[in-house]
Amino acid sequence: MDNVIVIENLHKSFGAIHAVNDLSFQVKKGELFAFLGENGAGKSTTISMICGQLSPDSGRVTVCGEAPEKSKEKLGVVFQSSVLDGALTVKDNLQSRAALYGIAGKSFQKRMQELSELLHLEEIMDRTVGKLSGGQRRRADIARALLHKPEILVLDEPTTGLDPQTRKMLWDVLAHLRQEEHLTVFLTTHYMEEAADADFVFILDRGKSVAEGTPLQ
């Protein structure tokens, strides 16, 4: 299996704080990779470097064989906090985001229909995001991240605060996408039952690797 994310000897400091300290790991294509650690362990800083939002002090990040700033279209990212515009409808949010990727007209309508069926968005498509429940907003967020058919979906604590029914639906959707589109999922979570379903688990503490392997290991 090809490695779609490769991290080598990564370092990132903020003043005297070593947020990421000599980190190295690989994520294989099609894998569900669980990236675990308590708050402040360096997870979000690492994700920001994978996404090209932060530059490392030293070390190397490659995404699909390229530097992060050249491979942004290969990534879909769902952050802990929604990045949708609360004043716009779900459809308007998706349409404006799709336009950034050059997806418009019939191509947008086709993709929107696919995602609407997959994530059960029909009843909320014309509602403003600010009036949605947490679970509805999270479904719309995931649709936004999947608009351009990314190869890698980065999920930063995607199910925190969601009801069990919505959590199950999101995991069913991810299982479908991994099977049908060979999507790679890079997950941070505090729910151990979600990490237990991962192909590989990497545990971080104070910016360093403390354990890695299959969930069984």
Side-chain angles (χ1 to χ4, degrees):
M1 251 193 275
D2 296 335
N3 290 324
V4 291
I5 299 175
V6 178
I7 305 284
E8 295 173 311
N9 306 116
L10 204 61
H11 288 264
K12 183 67 181 180
S13 294
F14 300 98
I17 299 168
H18 292 286
V20 175
N21 197 348
D22 198 26
L23 205 58
S24 297
F25 62 84
Q26 297 87 37
V27 180
K28 294 181 172 64
K29 183 173 177 59
E31 191 169 54
L32 172 54
F33 187 96
F35 194 54
L36 309 182
E38 62 185 20
N39 292 334
K43 302 189 303 296
S44 294
T45 301
T46 304
I47 287 173
S48 294
M49 289 188 280
I50 290 171
C51 298
Q53 295 175 317
L54 271 181
S55 297
D57 295 336
S58 62
R60 198 162 73 102
V61 180
T62 56
V63 178
C64 298
E66 297 181 304
E69 56 270 19
K70 293 182 178 178
S71 51
K72 287 183 179 178
E73 292 199 1
K74 305 281 177 70
L75 288 167
V77 187
V78 179
F79 298 99
Q80 290 178 37
S81 302
S82 176
V83 294
L84 299 172
D85 189 324
L88 298 179
T89 65
V90 171
K91 183 179 178 180
D92 288 342
N93 265 285
L94 295 179
Q95 196 161 13
S96 61
R97 186 56 58 110
L100 297 176
Y101 293 104
I103 305 166
K106 288 182 179 177
S107 296
F108 170 69
Q109 295 297 337
K110 180 172 182 288
R111 186 58 173 159
M112 188 178 71
Q113 185 61 36
E114 290 170 357
L115 292 170
S116 182
E117 289 173 10
L118 190 65
L119 290 155
H120 309 301
L121 299 176
E122 297 89 350
E123 77 279 9
I124 64 169
M125 198 59 84
D126 294 319
R127 290 174 59 185
T128 53
V129 167
K131 293 180 180 176
L132 299 181
S133 70
Q136 291 168 334
R137 194 177 298 129
R138 187 45 47 103
R139 277 152 49 200
D141 261 319
I142 290 174
R144 171 199 55 76
L146 293 170
L147 272 169
H148 59 298
K149 296 189 177 181
E151 292 183 34
I152 304 164
L153 183 63
V154 178
L155 299 171
D156 196 2
E157 297 181 28
T159 60
T160 298
L162 299 188
D163 62 88
Q165 188 178 357
T166 304
R167 281 176 65 190
K168 182 183 182 303
M169 194 222 35
L170 291 182
W171 280 105
D172 289 345
V173 167
L174 293 175
H176 170 82
L177 291 169
R178 290 183 63 217
Q179 186 171 357
E180 297 299 317
E181 299 183 15
H182 307 293
L183 183 73
T184 304
V185 178
F186 186 96
L187 168 77
T188 78
T189 181
H190 290 301
Y191 294 117
M192 290 304 97
E193 68 271 23
E194 293 180 351
D197 290 330
D199 298 303
F200 197 87
V201 175
F202 190 96
I203 302 176
L204 197 64
D205 185 44
R206 298 178 191 175
K208 290 184 175 183
S209 166
V210 290
E212 56 185 285
T214 65
L216 193 60
Q217 287 168 337

